[in-house]
Amino acid sequence: MKKLFSAFYEQPKLNDKTWESALVSIDTNVLLHSYRWGRVTQDVFVDALKALSGRLWLTFHAALEYHRHRPEYLLPSRNPSTLVTGASTVKKIKDSWSESKKSATQSLQEPIDALSQAVDAIYKHIEATGLGDKGYEKRADEHSEKLAKAFKGRCLSKLGADELQELFSSEPLRSAQGIPPGLTDQSKSSNRLGDLIIWTELKRLAKEKKLPLIFVTDETKLDWWSLNKRNRWTNPELFSEFRDLTGQDLFVISADQFVDETASVFKLSGDISAAVLDMKSSNPTLIEFNGGELSNKSCFVDFELPDVIAVPVERDQWSTYRSTSFLSDPAHGKKGYGHSGTSSQPAPGAVRYLAQLRGTELVGLIVDLF
């Protein structure tokens, strides 16, 4: 049995030799997220793309989705970064103290001066890194041109009509058997088969080039990757299917891992540590659940989460989960949650999160999307 399902037990690890020979393909979400990174991080990312030379590829469907959504990212985000929000909050405190000083008997000059210095330093950092809205549109246009240049001639051809028809015909069977990718996209009103199209293009590429492939994605769905003793690795079912069809290995990694490892292998310059941290902080966190059906699911997460959480489970329906002492393990820093009901509205005081489903099984939560 272990030999038959070997990908569930052990997978090859990325090393310098693989990086120097493997094909690399970038997912749509990484390209779009890159617009929200700071200037330093964007430069490091583009340098990493250039270092791959002729082994960098973009699937046709990923490129199509990128161009469909790119206009949204050429404008500043409606949700300011944590750094910008924090700077604004500190400035308001400093201004309120300055007003209070006019009528207060005690001297506030020292803390006001300290806050003024802090505010100035934060805003200088925001300007230097390009994390604020000032000049965003110009930077976004420049970054767009850099991406276009990096992928010039590196976009795969569109799948033919026969290939698409075969893919559409196989999708219901894959879905019924729980074969990824695309299992968590079933409720989408459009582009429901996007991941499956990209998956088909990736297999075709590796088969033609006869080389292993590294797929870089910021996807948090458990369709592309899996948890192995709480570490992320390539979804075993995808790994097995890929190797069976192409004879090559598949590695699914995140954008921050991509930059961290390419910087080491190809000796890239720049502030790599800051770039990796920027990438990690800009992406949502996935909370892992420990198995079971949706109605009685429990999960174990760190103690920074609130006592009551709500997740959307279907149209106009919210499931509520409350932390419970018998599921928690304070000694190991774990907070346990149990399902406490489903209703048309989130429970009062519940913090909302986005559910990650695999069929009817709740496998995780994405944090900080609401």
Side-chain angles (χ1 to χ4, degrees):
M1 182 179 72
K2 190 172 181 179
K3 182 177 181 180
L4 184 61
F5 295 96
S6 59
F8 286 83
Y9 295 90
E10 187 176 0
Q11 293 181 12
K13 295 182 179 181
L14 271 175
N15 53 41
D16 290 5
K17 184 177 180 181
T18 305
W19 273 111
E20 291 168 358
S21 61
L23 306 165
V24 179
S25 185
I26 312 295
D27 200 2
T28 307
N29 47 41
V30 175
L31 299 183
L32 295 176
H33 289 170
S34 70
Y35 283 89
R36 304 302 191 207
W37 299 336
R39 185 185 297 109
V40 172
T41 306
Q42 289 176 338
D43 291 342
V44 170
F45 177 63
V46 172
D47 287 344
L49 296 177
K50 292 178 180 177
L52 296 167
S53 186
R55 294 181 291 109
L56 178 67
W57 293 96
L58 189 62
T59 64
F60 180 89
H61 194 77
L64 174 62
E65 284 298 300
Y66 164 70
H67 285 94
R68 282 175 174 172
H69 295 284
R70 187 178 66 99
E72 306 165 26
Y73 289 81
L74 293 176
L75 299 173
S77 172
R78 295 179 181 177
N79 300 313
S81 68
T82 303
L83 186 63
V84 173
T85 303
S88 177
T89 300
V90 174
K91 185 177 184 301
K92 288 179 181 178
I93 295 173
K94 188 265 294 184
D95 292 342
S96 69
W97 284 2
S98 297
E99 289 296 317
S100 300
K101 180 176 179 294
K102 296 177 182 179
S103 57
T105 56
Q106 72 273 26
S107 174
L108 294 175
Q109 192 58 52
E110 186 173 339
I112 289 173
D113 290 343
L115 279 185
S116 295
Q117 293 178 12
V119 170
D120 290 343
I122 294 172
Y123 278 113
K124 284 181 181 179
H125 177 75
I126 291 172
E127 178 61 26
T129 55
L131 291 172
D133 288 351
K134 185 178 180 181
Y136 177 89
E137 293 182 30
K138 180 181 178 181
R139 292 196 308 274
D141 286 335
E142 292 173 349
H143 184 59
S144 183
E145 288 301 313
K146 291 178 181 177
L147 290 179
K149 187 175 181 179
F151 286 99
K152 184 178 181 180
R154 311 311 304 168
C155 185
L156 299 178
S157 58
K158 184 179 181 179
L159 293 179
D162 291 343
E163 291 175 297
L164 286 173
Q165 184 57 51
E166 182 180 350
L167 183 151
F168 296 151
S169 299
S170 67
E171 190 276 334
L173 181 60
R174 294 180 68 100
S175 179
Q177 292 181 307
I179 303 174
L183 296 177
T184 55
D185 293 333
Q186 300 303 308
S187 61
K188 282 187 175 181
S189 58
S190 63
N191 195 38
R192 186 168 59 86
L193 301 182
D195 279 2
L196 192 54
I197 294 174
I198 290 175
W199 174 237
T200 303
E201 291 188 63
L202 294 176
K203 291 186 294 183
R204 183 181 67 175
L205 172 65
K207 188 174 182 179
E208 290 178 354
K209 301 295 184 181
K210 295 181 174 59
L211 289 170
L213 186 139
I214 301 169
F215 183 53
V216 184
T217 181
D218 274 343
E219 192 62 78
T220 55
K221 295 176 296 190
L222 298 184
D223 276 3
W224 287 104
W225 54 272
S226 183
L227 292 166
N228 176 38
K229 297 180 181 178
R230 295 193 174 273
N231 294 317
R232 287 173 58 156
W233 69 350
T234 304
N235 185 299
E237 293 181 69
L238 292 184
F239 182 91
S240 298
E241 180 182 339
F242 195 86
R243 179 180 273 183
D244 289 345
L245 182 68
T246 69
Q248 304 296 330
D249 290 335
L250 171 70
F251 303 88
V252 179
I253 65 172
S254 60
D256 57 275
Q257 184 183 350
F258 167 71
V259 164
D260 193 26
E261 297 200 17
T262 52
S264 175
V265 174
F266 301 108
K267 313 301 180 186
L268 301 183
S269 59
D271 194 339
I272 309 302
S273 297
V276 170
L277 184 62
D278 187 12
M279 290 177 168
K280 285 183 176 180
S281 62
S282 65
N283 291 334
T285 302
L286 181 69
I287 303 299
E288 174 200 358
F289 276 74
N290 72 331
E293 291 302 318
L294 178 61
S295 60
N296 61 6
K297 181 72 64 170
S298 60
C299 66
F300 298 88
V301 293
D302 63 56
F303 274 89
E304 294 180 2
L305 287 178
D307 289 333
V308 185
I309 59 179
V311 298
V313 292
E314 55 185 53
R315 184 183 297 273
D316 299 325
Q317 291 291 306
W318 290 80
S319 275
T320 299
Y321 294 84
R322 298 181 183 275
S323 63
T324 57
S325 58
F326 72 89
L327 286 175
S328 299
D329 183 7
H332 295 90
K334 300 300 178 183
K335 189 171 188 175
Y337 286 80
H339 182 263
S340 63
T342 300
S343 61
S344 59
Q345 295 292 332
V351 179
R352 295 177 294 174
Y353 293 90
L354 184 63
Q356 289 293 286
L357 302 176
R358 181 164 181 171
T360 60
E361 185 182 1
L362 183 58
V363 293
L365 299 172
I366 292 184
V367 181
D368 293 333
L369 287 190
F370 291 89

